[in-house]
Amino acid sequence: EVQRTWSHLESIFIGSADIRKQLPDDSKRFVGIDFDFKELMDAAVKTPNVIEATCKPGLFAKLEDIQDRLSLCEKALAEYLETKRLAFPRFYFVSSADLLDILSKGNQPLLVARHLSKLFDNLHKLEFEKRKKYRLRLCVDTTA
């Protein structure tokens, strides 16, 4: 459970500058979690016998502590996404993973465009023109 949660949150808290900026306390918390988790994994790699690696004194307590801190990060992330959904209710139509992708690439319209059909009905295609700024031409499917 710890590994699955850590791997899911790593790309969010380590890979997204926007999340680090919006959730600074939780990002710092995750940096500590990341260090502790990698330290445990390094110790496991150095112990080739699986019984010895998993029966080390204090290992279970360390894993529980990491899981508790990961839960706090998950909760903060969910609350952050909820504030975005309250600000723009159409975000309720996309998954949390898609919403994180939209928010982290918000200033790159070509990368966000793939999610727009989930937010707006009858969206047929988008055409972008690059001049000084992107200009968007929206084509709507009227047959639906």
Side-chain angles (χ1 to χ4, degrees), residues 109-110 113 116 122-131 133-141:
L110 296 174
L116 294 181
N122 296 328
L123 184 64
H124 180 62
K125 73 177 179 178
L126 295 171
E127 294 176 5
F128 290 93
E129 292 179 15
K130 175 100 173 158
R131 293 186 184 170
K133 292 186 176 183
Y134 281 107
R135 196 173 103 201
L136 173 66
R137 190 170 77 192
L138 182 66
C139 301
V140 181
D141 183 5

Side-chain angles (χ1 to χ4, degrees), residues 86-124:
L86 288 171
F88 187 65
R90 286 197 175 261
F91 283 152
Y92 283 104
F93 295 114
V94 296
S95 68
S96 293
D98 286 342
L99 181 53
L100 284 168
D101 195 43
I102 291 168
L103 295 172
S104 67
K105 295 174 179 149
N107 59 352
Q108 301 168 359
L110 296 174
L111 298 176
V112 172
R114 69 188 188 103
H115 298 289
L116 294 181
S117 63
K118 298 170 192 171
L119 296 169
F120 301 100
D121 291 339
N122 296 328
L123 184 64
H124 180 62

Side-chain angles (χ1 to χ4, degrees), residues 52-67:
E52 289 176 23
T54 57
C55 292
K56 290 184 177 179
L59 177 62
F60 186 73
K62 288 179 186 176
L63 288 171
E64 281 185 324
D65 175 58
I66 290 172
Q67 185 61 43

